[in-house]
Structure formats: C-alpha cells, structure tokens
Amino acid sequence: MPSLRDVAEQAGVSVSTASIALRHDTRVKESTRRRVLSVAEEIGYRPNGAARDLKSRRTGMIAILLHDLGGPFYSELLRGVSTRAQANGLTALVCTSALDRGGELTRLLREKRVDGAIILDSSISEDDILEVASPSLPLILLDRQIQHPNLYSVLCDHRSGAYMATLHLIDAGYRDIGIILGPSDSHHSHLREEGALQACRLRQCVPRPDHIWHGAFTESSGYQLVDSVLASDDVPRAIFVANDEMAVGLMRGLLERGVRIPDDVALAGFDDIRITQYVSPPLTTVRQPMYELGILAADTLMRALRGDEDITPIVLQTELVVRGSS
Amino acid sequence: MPSLRDVAEQAGVSVSTASIALRHDTRVKESTRRRVLSVAEEIGYRPNGAARDLKSRRTGMIAILLHDLGGPFYSELLRGVSTRAQANGLTALVCTSALDRGGELTRLLREKRVDGAIILDSSISEDDILEVASPSLPLILLDRQIQHPNLYSVLCDHRSGAYMATLHLIDAGYRDIGIILGPSDSHHSHLREEGALQACRLRQCVPRPDHIWHGAFTESSGYQLVDSVLASDDVPRAIFVANDEMAVGLMRGLLERGVRIPDDVALAGFDDIRITQYVSPPLTTVRQPMYELGILAADTLMRALRGDEDITPIVLQTELVVRGSS
DNA sequence: CCTCGCAATCGAATCGTTTCGATTAGTAGT
DNA sequence: ACTACTAATCGAAACGATTCGATTGCGAGG
C-alpha cells in the first residue's frame, strides 16, 4: 500500500532520490541511504511490480508453456530452466494450456507480462506463436521449428533415438519387427517412425505393413492394441513402441495373455518415463536429456534477450537405455 | 510497440474512447467501435499488461507455489486449480521455489504481480508468508495452518489416512506392525505417525520402539532401510510406510532379499503416486484427493478475492486404496 | 571574491492504461 | 425557439515507479 512517494516524504527526500537509494546506488550519501532504507522498512514499503515493469519495459520473468503437467519429464526440464534463469536474475513460471485455451497466451505473452518464453506444447498453433513473437518477446520452441527472426529452436533428435532403439532390437536377434506409433498427425510419431524404419531398412528387415499400428500415446491405447498385435497370424518377435505410456500398456496386456517378455516378444519404448524402471521386466527405452534441454533452452533465451539474432536450431541427442524388456 | 494512443490517433478518437471501445462497452457507437477494432488489428496493437495492472490494481493472475515439480500429484492439483481459475477469468501460474530461493516470493508476491496465491511448499518459512500476506494478496495454504486474517487453509486429513491404512493392515491379520516415518521435523510425517499409532492403540498392538524407523521420504532412503528392518530379531509382519516413495524403495529391497510380499511382510504406503500401480505387487496406499484439493483451494481463493473473510480451515478426507501388497 | 568541478539531490517527464467528470451533439417535448 | 435529456465522446488526472537533465551546496584553485 505505501508507495515510494510515502517513503520519500517520510525520509525527507525526493522520490527520485528514494528510488536510487533503494537500489544501493553510490550517488546517494550513505547516511540518506540508510534513512530511506529504514523508513521503507518501517512503513512496510513494497515496490510495485507493475509500475516498475511499465517504466523499465522488462519484467524479470520468463514463462515455460506446457500442455499439461502430467508429462513425466517436465520437472527435469523446469529444473534446467530454473537453474539458468536464477543465475541470470530471472524468475521462471510454468503455465499450462490444456485447460486455459489462449488465456495464458494473452495474459503472459500478448500483454507482455514476461520477457520471453520457452514453449513445449504442440497444441499451441503456429499462427498464435507467430502472432506473439516479437523482438521484445523472443520465444524458444522445443521440439518444433518455425522460421522467424524471433523464434529459436532447441530440438531432440527423435529420429536417431528411434533408430537406435530399433537397431538395438534387430541386433539383439529379433528380425521380425513390429512398430506401434502415435496418432498419424503427430509430428513426434512421424519422426520416430522414420527412425525406426531407417533402422529396418539398414538391416533389411522392413516390417510388413500390417505390423505397424497406431495408438494414442496413452497407456490405455497401448493396452487396447494387444488384441490387434496378437491377432496377427505371425506375431512380431520385437516391437518398437513410439512412447513409454503405450509400451507400458501393451506390456500389461501381453503379460495378461501369458506372453513372456522378452522371451516371446521383446519391447522398446521411448521417453524413459519413471515407471519404465518399475514395471517387470523394466522397459528398454530412449531417454531424452530433459535437464540439458532445459539448460540449453534457457541459455538460448538469455542469448535472445541480449539481442543475439542467431536462430540456428540446436539439436540434442537422445540416449538408449537398455533394460530387461529386450 | 503501438500503444492505445496510436490506435486512437489513427482511428480519429480519443484515447479514452479507444479504451472502452476495445472492451466492447455499449457506450461507444457501433460504427466507431468497429473502426477502433479494425485499426487496432491493422497496426497490431497489443494492450500492455503492466500499464493495465498498474491502473486497475489487479493482474488477473494467480500463482501456485510448489517446492518442485517432481511431486507426483501436482498435475492433478494444478488441473483442479486451473479449472476454477479459468472459470473466473484468471490465469494460473506455477512457480517452484527449490532453485529460486526467494526470487519467486519477491517477484510474484512481494511486488504483487499476481492477485493471490496457493502455497504448497513447506520450505517457505512462516515469516515469509506472514510478510507478504495482505488484504490485497490473500494466500491459500495447503496442508499448513497459520492464524492470520489473510491466510486461508485447505488441509488433507493425513492423520485419518494413516489411521485407516494401519487399521487395514491390523485387521487383515497382521498384528505385528512396523512403521516407517519421514524426517522427524516433517509435519506430514508427524501427522501420519499419530494416525498410525492411534490405530495401533485402538487394536492394542502398539509397535515396539525399535520397529519405528525414519527415512527421508525418498525411494533410496526406503531402499536403504531394508537392512535395519530385516536386522530386527523379530521382523514385523506388516509395515505402514509414511509415503509411497519410501514404500517402493523398501519393497524393492525386500524383494531383492527374497522376502515375499504380502506373504512374509505386508506393506501400505501413502500418497498413491502413479508407480504404486505398476510395482509388483501393486502397493496398498492412501490417496489424497489432489484434484478436489485444487478445486477447493481455488474456490477459497476466489472467495478471498471477493472479500470473504471467513478463514475457517477446510479439511478434506483421504481415501484408502487397497492393492496387492496387503 | 569569483568561478570551476564535483557530489548530492531534486523536478518533471514518461511508461500505457483506466476512469470519471465535463463537454458536445442530437433529439424530443412544450 | 428554448430547455431537458440522453448518447457519444473527450480531457485530464491518476497508478507508482524510473530516468535524465537541472539545480544546489561546498571546498579548492586562482
């Protein structure tokens, strides 16, 4: 409630002096500075963020836009981003769009209540992104690329991850490969499909078309696919599943039918979500370096905020994690 | 970049008219409203949040303060909060304090960049909370109580949850109970201990003092406790573990030692984190209704923002989830 | 004694909205 | 033709900080 003006009056100085005194500026005499500080303390002065932001044209805050918090690795991502944000004196906020369609875009980005943002949310349209990006609001896109001077990209190499996982299955002796993908309009699904097929081509064991299925990237969709998979006259000996959620669901279904893993069917997933370590057998999967992704995304944002205009995309490699399912 | 003034000039109206025109106020003629709107669109006008907040003294944003995002149920909590926030035209932000000690308190709360906040983070000190709470910044505390006119509490009944779980173990025939708690300075650990002991007293099977252990609420600390537990000359037949992380760790340790669950030792945990469903056997546990907690917290915040001064704490009940481990 | 330079402080403009009381125009009533 | 009223619009004052050029006071140098 008390404003800088109240502090100034009670300390017997002008508002401008009070302002710089609070910022420990050397231009004020030590004695006045102490006086201002003690008055501020005494009357419970708190700077008003809105006023400061308005005048200084920066907020000291950055946003991380996610679709929802359910994602398994968001905590690691955020840890990476926070680390760097704090080192640069910024505060990182997380905002989800799943339930607040557009609200967060308007409040945070359109109305510039943050200095920049990191976006990992394929449900936000390209148009919306293009609309809000500006020289004073650089955006870092994760796992997505849009050509624009104020859009920077940090990508994970999903293709090579899927390639490694599939190659691993093949080279473990399972030449009869099946593939379970996500929704056909999913960019990630598409990339992972390409990687998997590339490995198959290399080893000359491209799966039959009816050994490629599509799920919804959810556990239950994986579970439901078990019928289709087992219905095949010639069940594949190994399956690359394009994400762990589906892989876990499928695994549950297979075990219920008495299929032994990896003896009857080997599995590999993608994402390295936490439960992959706890299912039995533990699931072979592909890890995305989310912490590093956060670090790089934040660093890129800092660069952008400093005016760096190099928008060359940064690509991170994934890591194959071999466990009992293969 | 373009401001309301630019819009007004180009549309040939005053700034004040432009302002209300953009808000679809009926005081402006339909024709001018359209003109203003089209000019705004044309020159890419975007309202400046800081200016708006400064003048209107509200931001339309609320914050959820968590220690970190690693927590298993935060996504449910956030979903609850978001639902209600959106229904009231507010945007919910998540902010973690683990890495940004104090920064988020200053930027968001002290400098009032949000209208209110929901706090679930025992690492934020009572002093800090008391310092920032004010009539214009109501705070909702989850699982914590502080007496203050602008602090509202929503609590989960951890005690009765622990009571139910322990009673369930005893009534399943295991009279020889062990208890694994969290750090002794943890409020949650203390509440859960009370509940567990209350059940034991009721059934007259209070555990021996050396059958009560303390961990760190982490999986690895649970794993490490397996030695102490098995070292006992008289291993308890059932163990109530004060959180699932430790329970899962302990379970892993026990299985490695060839202990059968629940035949040799029965287990119950607390929290109902996701992996409890995937470990074998699935873990009996206590579910906190995080979605409902989010809903209630948000509703309480809305009440507070409307000036309601009733700070009577709200208490939510937990739910026992019986699975294979008991 | 006068001026110069420096340190300390001040005043006023500014950021971009919102809001409220004042003004103008237009219409209707008598 | 004049007032009364409403509808539409305007002007100016906030909101609370920052910032920059201007001012004051004072000791040193000539």
Side-chain angles (χ1 to χ4, degrees), chain A:
Chain A
M1 205 67 164
S3 74
L4 192 52
R5 186 179 167 172
D6 302 316
V7 177
E9 273 171 11
Q10 291 216 29
V13 297
S14 74
V15 175
S16 44
T17 304
S19 174
I20 52 181
L22 286 174
R23 267 174 296 137
H24 298 250
D25 196 300
T26 54
R27 285 176 297 172
V28 289
K29 227 193 312 179
E30 177 61 17
S31 63
T32 41
R33 204 195 59 124
R34 269 207 301 273
R35 190 152 32 93
V36 170
L37 250 48
S38 83
V39 170
E41 166 79 13
E42 186 187 341
I43 68 175
Y45 166 72
R46 314 229 209 112
N48 178 307
R52 173 174 300 184
D53 296 348
L54 174 59
K55 179 63 192 178
S56 62
R57 299 161 153 301
R58 10 174 292 117
T59 66
M61 308 200 297
I62 62 174
I64 306 173
L65 267 47
L66 305 171
H67 184 65
D68 58 66
L69 275 195
F73 20 58
Y74 293 153
S75 85
E76 283 302 290
L77 174 70
L78 176 63
R79 203 163 58 80
V81 174
S82 289
T83 305
R84 288 301 207 261
Q86 193 192 13
N88 288 272
L90 300 177
T91 297
L93 303 173
V94 180
C95 198
T96 61
S97 69
L99 285 163
D100 191 12
R101 300 222 55 74
E104 80 298 341
L105 271 173
T106 297
R107 282 249 164 59
L108 290 179
L109 305 189
R110 239 186 287 277
E111 301 189 351
K112 264 203 71 52
R113 258 173 276 248
V114 295
D115 295 338
I118 295 170
I119 301 181
L120 173 50
D121 183 350
S122 55
S123 77
I124 295 179
S125 78
E126 188 160 323
D127 287 349
D128 281 340
I129 292 178
L130 285 167
E131 192 204 325
V132 297
S134 82
S136 64
L137 187 70
L139 302 179
I140 314 301
L141 307 181
L142 302 188
D143 272 344
R144 172 200 290 231
Q145 249 182 306
I146 304 177
Q147 202 62 33
H148 183 280
N150 305 303
L151 294 179
Y152 303 71
S153 284
V154 183
L155 313 161
C156 256
D157 193 344
H158 294 227
R159 194 174 326 195
S160 92
Y163 174 82
M164 287 190 295
T166 309
L167 203 58
H168 157 76
L169 289 175
I170 300 172
D171 289 348
Y174 311 100
R175 291 193 52 82
D176 200 354
I177 299 287
I179 299 180
I180 296 185
L181 299 168
S184 25
D185 59 355
S186 153
H187 185 225
H188 284 177
S189 172
H190 190 63
L191 291 175
R192 294 171 189 185
E193 175 181 16
E194 284 183 6
L197 290 178
Q198 190 184 339
C200 294
R201 277 194 299 272
L202 181 76
R203 291 291 188 262
Q204 300 177 333
C205 57
V206 174
R208 302 162 27 177
D210 63 329
H211 278 183
I212 299 181
W213 297 274
H214 284 267
F217 274 157
T218 61
E219 202 227 323
S220 63
S221 74
Y223 181 75
Q224 283 155 20
L225 276 171
V226 76
D227 286 328
S228 320
V229 170
L230 295 180
S232 176
D233 54 350
D234 183 20
V235 178
R237 290 295 323 283
I239 304 177
F240 168 70
V241 190
N243 86 340
D244 287 342
E245 289 286 345
M246 292 195 296
V248 166
L250 178 70
M251 182 182 281
R252 184 160 59 90
L254 290 173
L255 292 173
E256 283 177 10
R257 303 299 185 85
V259 176
R260 289 165 308 165
I261 298 169
D263 311 287
D264 298 333
V265 175
L267 288 181
F270 203 112
D271 284 344
D272 195 28
I273 66 177
R274 183 153 181 225
I275 49 178
T276 54
Q277 303 171 44
Y278 295 92
V279 292
S280 13
L283 185 67
T284 291
T285 187
V286 177
R287 195 181 87 85
Q288 303 186 53
M290 295 309 280
Y291 177 74
E292 291 81 355
L293 187 65
I295 294 277
L296 278 173
D299 283 347
T300 306
L301 184 50
M302 304 306 155
R303 264 207 299 116
L305 288 173
R306 279 190 228 101
D308 187 333
E309 298 184 344
D310 176 10
I311 58 167
T312 318
I314 297 172
V315 180
L316 263 79
Q317 289 309 310
T318 53
E319 177 192 347
L320 181 65
V321 182
V322 177
R323 298 205 183 91
S325 71
S326 66

Side-chain angles (χ1 to χ4, degrees), chain B residues 181-243:
Chain B
L181 300 167
S184 26
D185 60 354
S186 155
H187 184 224
H188 285 178
S189 172
H190 189 63
L191 291 174
R192 294 173 189 184
E193 174 180 18
E194 283 183 6
L197 289 178
Q198 190 183 340
C200 294
R201 277 195 297 273
L202 182 76
R203 290 292 188 262
Q204 301 178 331
C205 58
V206 175
R208 304 163 24 176
D210 63 328
H211 278 183
I212 299 181
W213 296 273
H214 285 267
F217 274 158
T218 61
E219 203 228 321
S220 62
S221 74
Y223 181 75
Q224 283 155 18
L225 276 170
V226 75
D227 287 328
S228 321
V229 170
L230 295 181
S232 175
D233 54 351
D234 181 22
V235 177
R237 289 294 323 283
I239 304 178
F240 168 70
V241 189
N243 87 340

